[in-house]
Amino acid sequence: MGDVRDLRSAASARRRDAHVVDAELVVEAERSAPRAARHWVMRAVADAGIGGSTNQVVELLTGELVANAVVHGPPDRAVTVRVRIDGLAVRVLVSDAGGGVPVVEHPEPTAPSGRGLALVEALSSDWGTVSRADGKTVWFEVVADD
């Protein structure tokens, strides 16, 4: 499935009762990557005590961003998925070695694809992109209801 790294600092590990999570998964840029990333993030979010529609939205949006990284990034490079949970805020960051800046599209209803970032824009509390020397990171944040 991929390499999982727990990136919690000593301070955040002491705040475990506050549901602080900072973890990373590295997957190969292949067709199974979105499914593996969705399931991994969904488990991390559920383990932090966040369920219901928030968990489902995070799962959906993670799959969309990882699918975009697989389709638009270099095929021979890994995709890194990072999840940060602090209380009720869930942030997912997806990094790949591809260039360019993702653009929200509004395709015709019959178009077979092109809706992923529109979903991210509509369902997340916030989202954005960061260009890096070695690629880009696309992220979103969802704040759970109490």
Side-chain angles (χ1 to χ4, degrees):
M1 176 159 107
D3 298 326
V4 177
R5 295 180 214 131
D6 189 348
L7 302 174
R8 286 189 304 250
S9 67
S12 66
R14 287 190 299 272
R15 294 178 51 200
R16 187 178 294 249
D17 60 322
H19 303 295
V20 175
V21 173
D22 192 352
E24 185 176 278
L25 173 71
V26 179
V27 294
E28 295 300 317
E30 55 191 31
R31 288 178 32 154
S32 62
R35 179 176 40 83
R38 281 193 327 265
H39 291 290
W40 175 76
V41 168
M42 188 174 62
R43 280 192 306 273
V45 172
D47 288 349
I50 298 172
S53 62
T54 300
N55 192 310
Q56 293 171 348
V57 168
V58 169
E59 177 187 12
L60 172 67
L61 300 185
T62 298
E64 292 296 337
L65 291 189
V66 174
N68 283 350
V70 169
V71 169
H72 300 292
D76 59 342
R77 302 290 296 272
V79 174
T80 302
V81 182
R82 188 169 184 178
V83 61
R84 295 177 182 166
I85 305 168
D86 191 351
L88 297 176
V90 179
R91 182 173 284 215
V92 175
L93 303 94
V94 177
S95 302
D96 66 58
V101 177
V103 176
V104 177
E105 296 179 2
H106 301 283
E108 294 296 321
T110 56
S113 63
R115 294 172 187 81
L117 285 180
L119 286 171
V120 171
E121 182 178 63
L123 297 175
S124 67
S125 304
D126 198 9
W127 77 280
T129 62
V130 177
S131 295
R132 301 181 333 270
D134 63 344
K136 68 181 168 303
T137 298
V138 182
W139 61 271
F140 69 85
E141 185 169 279
V142 175
V143 178
D145 297 329
D146 287 331

